[in-house]
Amino acid sequence: MELATRQLIYVSRHPCAELYNRFHQRGWQVEVAASAREASRAARDRGATGGLLDLSSAFPAHEIAAFEAPLTLPHVGWVATATAGQLGDSGLRRLVRDYCFDYVTVPSSGERIVDSVGHAFGMAVLADPLASQGQMARSEGEMVGSCEPMLQLFRLIRKVALTDAPVFISGESGTGKELTVVAIHERSIRRQAPFVAINCGAIPPHLLQSELFGYERGAFTGANQRKIGRIEAAHGGTLFLDEIGDLALESQASLLRFLQESKVERLGGHGSVDVDVRIISATHVDLQAAMRDGRFRPDLYHRLCVLQLDEPPLRARGKDIELLARHMLERFRKDTSRRVRGFTPDAIAALHNYPWPGNVRELINRVRRALVMSDTRALSAADLELADYVATQPVSLAQAREAAERQAIERALLRHRGRFSEAASELGISRVTLYRLLCAHGMRQDEGAPPELRDLPAGVALQL
């Protein structure tokens, strides 16, 4: 990789102009990030990258803890700079020890820092390509994927983020619907405003009204002070109604009124409050069936479902299954003191054979559990508790072709009730070729063969 293409994520609250210029002179393209969130976003949008984490710029404690996410990305070679006394802090020391290629005590020469970052970048380039397949994947926020259904989802996220229309996200449990909602919010003009999520299925119906709309002091026993509801708290931003399909019918009517008027009335209040929010809802429930059964109001459905996104199940994401498994392995590698290097071949086979009823959430849980319980350097199918889904007998390409050919012939003959001419015509071959194929596959029955083919030897060579 040429120097001109080197990229650096410089994480600092007070970036040094002299150091910035020195990197630029040495052929680096520098992007400054002021927080862990900005660093994560910058790191996920590119391939192998150098990273400089300026711990000496006095990040607050909660920000230090948040740096673990970008520091775990395998394609970034991180170097930390810190003052002499900072590494006495156990939390900082652990981050530097576990995730950084090197650290430099400041004050120090700019050349020393640039050289150290260059070495870290080189190690990131040399990283195991299987362990860093995420570089080749596209991402939206915390979501990673390279299959066509996910690329299509990413395109739709960018489109709907530009509008203020209500969005409805459907998909099975565990597919990552909330990550899609967050990605939409962070790409919208409301990204600096509040993001408020409420699980409609987790709150009892008699409490949902007060949670959504709030209440005034004295509205009921125990209401000792005014409480702002979730809808009002999201003013100017995005309100995420998760598991909207589990919302009770009596609550659906109140929510519909708010969607029509963009006003809320607190319990015990006498006036309405104007609220400007963008509504995004999601559910694993089939709302079409719920409407037919009278469990969900059609008028509410049509208010919520202006733009619809479908979250693909994990089993439909093909090569993304292995990609996500490796991504989770890197993310949760800290759960064990052993240096786990990846997955065994039988684990990869099981990952693809298993139907994943729990989707991405189940994949995360299986990888985390395997990391803790396994005693080996590579996670096996047994570690993932998927030993029953390993293919017992490997199949060669020739065997696969032979099986497919035999099956096609059998089905054609069954459809045409053994009539050679019609079956051969459907298969795009002659009657003679069809009979020779029957001989080759051990399917020949001389008494049912055409007259001109009955005397052909069983071992006749195929002439396709």
Side-chain angles (χ1 to χ4, degrees), residues 59-72:
F59 288 100
H62 72 276
E63 191 72 22
I64 293 294
F67 277 122
E68 194 157 332
L71 289 176
T72 56

Side-chain angles (χ1 to χ4, degrees), residues 5 57 66 100 126 189 216 238 262 290 319 427:
T5 64
S57 62
C100 294
L126 294 174
I189 59 174
E216 297 286 354
T238 302
S262 296
K319 59 185 178 180
L427 293 168

Side-chain angles (χ1 to χ4, degrees), residues 122-145:
M123 295 303 293
V125 172
L126 294 174
D128 180 0
L130 286 178
S132 57
Q133 283 182 356
Q135 299 173 35
M136 308 199 42
R138 297 287 300 278
S139 65
E140 288 293 327
E142 294 291 325
M143 295 185 296
V144 176

Side-chain angles (χ1 to χ4, degrees), residues 342-404:
F343 297 91
T344 61
D346 73 318
I348 298 300
L351 286 170
H352 287 289
N353 292 336
Y354 185 62
W356 297 109
N359 290 293
V360 179
R361 185 183 296 123
E362 182 183 0
L363 174 62
I364 294 172
N365 292 342
R366 286 185 180 274
V367 172
R368 292 196 71 177
R369 183 167 58 245
L371 275 168
V372 174
M373 303 304 293
S374 175
D375 296 319
T376 60
R377 290 292 186 91
L379 301 183
S380 67
D383 294 327
L384 295 167
E385 299 182 1
L386 295 176
D388 293 341
Y389 292 88
V390 179
T392 56
Q393 181 66 40
V395 177
S396 68
L397 187 58
Q399 290 172 322
R401 286 172 176 163
E402 182 180 343

Side-chain angles (χ1 to χ4, degrees), residues 229-240:
R230 294 291 189 92
I231 294 176
E232 196 173 344
H235 180 66
T238 302
L239 178 69
F240 174 39

